[in-house]
Amino acid sequence: MLSKKTIYLAQPRGFCAGVERAILIVEEALKKYGAPIYVRHEIIHNAYVVKDFESRGVVFINQLDKVPKGAILIFSAHGVSKAVRYEADERQFQVFDATCPLVAKVHAEVVSLKERGFQIIMIGHRGHPEVEGTMGQVDSSIHLIEHVPDVDQLTFDKDELLAYVTQTTLSVDETQEITAALIKKYPQIHAPKRQDICYATQNRQDAVKAMIPHVDIVIVVGSQNSSNSKRLQELASSLQVPAFLVDDPSQIKSEWFKSVKNIGVTAGASAPESLTSEIIDAINSRYRGSVVPMPGIEETISFSLPKGLLKAA
């Protein structure tokens, strides 16, 4: 007989406003222009979404020389460097920019700081497309750090103009530790008016914290290359609850749930609700589980589409 379990569903979870906007940009471009539509980098970090778009004629590329002259090109939600923008202009692509407005805010801040003579420290993960795009807004004067020990390696003068910015999808707690170390070493460092952790990242982490006392295990719906999804998994694990990151129902393993009564389910900001539903169904196919939605923040933020796609939408 299947053992009954309770599935607690985090709130909020899944798509944020920036991701919804990026996906809608691709959808509307497909409607208006038809396939193929080219997207520089994965539009969002979710294998489920990327596979669906590929089946409908969207081509994901990393190098612009793979795109025919004059084609429709979309920049992903993570943003791109100025060099990529210049190259797109030179190749005469029709470009729609799906950069998350919160990432674009950090881009603008980096440019402003450089113009005012600051050396800029970026807190983020090396190789992540958002970090590459943000650092690529300026030709120099920006320096990446990933961990607290990296602060010790910085050699700026005490009286140098310094400022920091952050990748939007980092762990709130991790970022606070790094910024505290920066401020201790450089008390005069310029901080953003508001920490650049996006609202959705913070809300989803807070929802996991609220769910933890009620569950024995956490399933995070999201892909391995999704920074904010991995932070949710790491957060649950740091709170002494086993956590697993999945982006396909076939990845669910029965041994995870032995001696487990209460299961927590959340989803990263790039994971669609339809995939979360499939994951829950996969769990319920093994157990007679009841689903209990957790109380939490209802997000109402939305971002507008680029002007060239508004009419189609």
Side-chain angles (χ1 to χ4, degrees):
M1 179 180 290
L2 297 175
S3 59
K4 185 173 182 180
K5 300 183 187 296
T6 301
I7 299 172
Y8 288 90
L9 197 54
Q11 171 64 29
R13 66 187 178 278
F15 282 175
C16 63
V19 165
E20 288 180 342
R21 175 180 179 271
I23 287 176
L24 189 55
I25 286 172
V26 179
E27 294 279 8
E28 295 303 326
L30 279 170
K31 288 180 187 177
K32 187 171 183 177
Y33 300 101
I37 298 292
Y38 294 85
V39 179
R40 204 269 183 180
H41 197 71
E42 294 182 355
I43 187 65
I44 60 169
H45 280 160
N46 186 267
Y48 182 95
V49 171
V50 168
K51 185 178 179 180
D52 174 63
F53 274 139
E54 285 178 332
S55 72
R56 295 155 59 193
V58 176
V59 182
F60 295 96
I61 51 91
N62 289 320
Q63 303 299 326
L64 298 193
D65 59 7
K66 305 293 184 183
V67 183
K69 183 178 179 179
I72 305 297
L73 175 68
I74 297 173
F75 294 146
S76 79
H78 312 97
V80 299
S81 68
K82 283 190 174 181
V84 171
R85 292 184 184 276
Y86 292 149
E87 185 181 355
D89 288 342
E90 288 178 354
R91 293 179 178 273
Q92 301 177 354
F93 302 135
Q94 184 169 351
V95 174
F96 295 103
D97 190 357
T99 302
C100 172
L102 299 179
V103 174
K105 178 178 75 75
V106 181
H107 287 188
E109 177 69 4
V110 164
V111 172
S112 174
L113 289 167
K114 171 69 182 297
E115 290 174 347
R116 289 148 57 195
F118 282 86
Q119 291 288 326
I120 306 158
I121 298 167
M122 174 153 201
I123 305 169
H125 293 301
R126 189 178 303 278
H128 191 280
E130 181 188 329
V131 170
E132 293 178 346
T134 299
M135 296 184 71
Q137 300 307 304
V138 293
D139 296 330
S140 59
S141 305
I142 188 164
H143 314 269
L144 178 65
I145 63 173
E146 298 185 84
H147 310 289
V148 171
D150 295 338
V151 176
D152 294 333
Q153 306 303 314
L154 298 173
T155 57
F156 298 109
D157 294 334
K158 295 295 183 181
D159 58 351
E160 194 157 7
L161 277 176
L162 290 178
Y164 73 85
V165 297
T166 76
Q167 181 181 337
T168 62
T169 53
L170 293 180
S171 159
V172 175
D173 294 336
E174 178 186 10
T175 305
Q176 287 176 341
E177 291 177 6
I178 297 173
T179 56
L182 278 173
I183 293 168
K184 182 178 180 180
K185 185 170 184 177
Y186 301 109
Q188 84 286 8
I189 195 167
H190 174 82
K193 292 180 181 178
R194 291 181 299 174
Q195 193 178 34
D196 287 326
I197 301 296
C198 84
Y199 77 94
T201 297
Q202 176 127 21
N203 288 349
R204 280 149 191 72
Q205 291 183 4
D206 289 345
V208 167
K209 290 178 183 178
M211 185 171 64
I212 286 297
H214 305 279
V215 302
D216 307 305
I217 186 177
V218 172
I219 303 300
V220 179
V221 182
S223 295
Q224 287 291 335
N225 62 344
S226 168
S227 177
N228 75 87
S229 298
K230 291 186 77 171
R231 301 294 84 74
L232 294 176
Q233 179 192 19
E234 291 170 1
L235 174 61
S237 296
S238 73
L239 297 172
Q240 310 306 311
V241 173
F244 300 92
L245 182 62
V246 299
D247 65 359
D248 189 274
S250 64
Q251 296 169 358
I252 296 294
K253 297 181 180 179
S254 298
E255 57 262 32
W256 293 348
F257 306 102
K258 291 180 179 179
S259 304
V260 166
K261 182 178 180 182
N262 297 323
I263 302 165
V265 174
T266 188
S270 51
E273 186 66 14
S274 57
L275 177 57
T276 301
S277 296
E278 290 183 21
I279 298 295
I280 290 173
D281 289 343
I283 297 172
N284 270 335
S285 68
R286 296 170 169 83
Y287 313 103
R288 294 180 292 107
S290 57
V291 178
V292 178
M294 296 287 293
I297 295 172
E298 293 288 340
E299 295 173 342
T300 59
I301 293 175
S302 62
F303 298 127
S304 63
L305 295 183
K307 291 181 180 179
L309 292 176
L310 280 173
K311 187 175 181 181

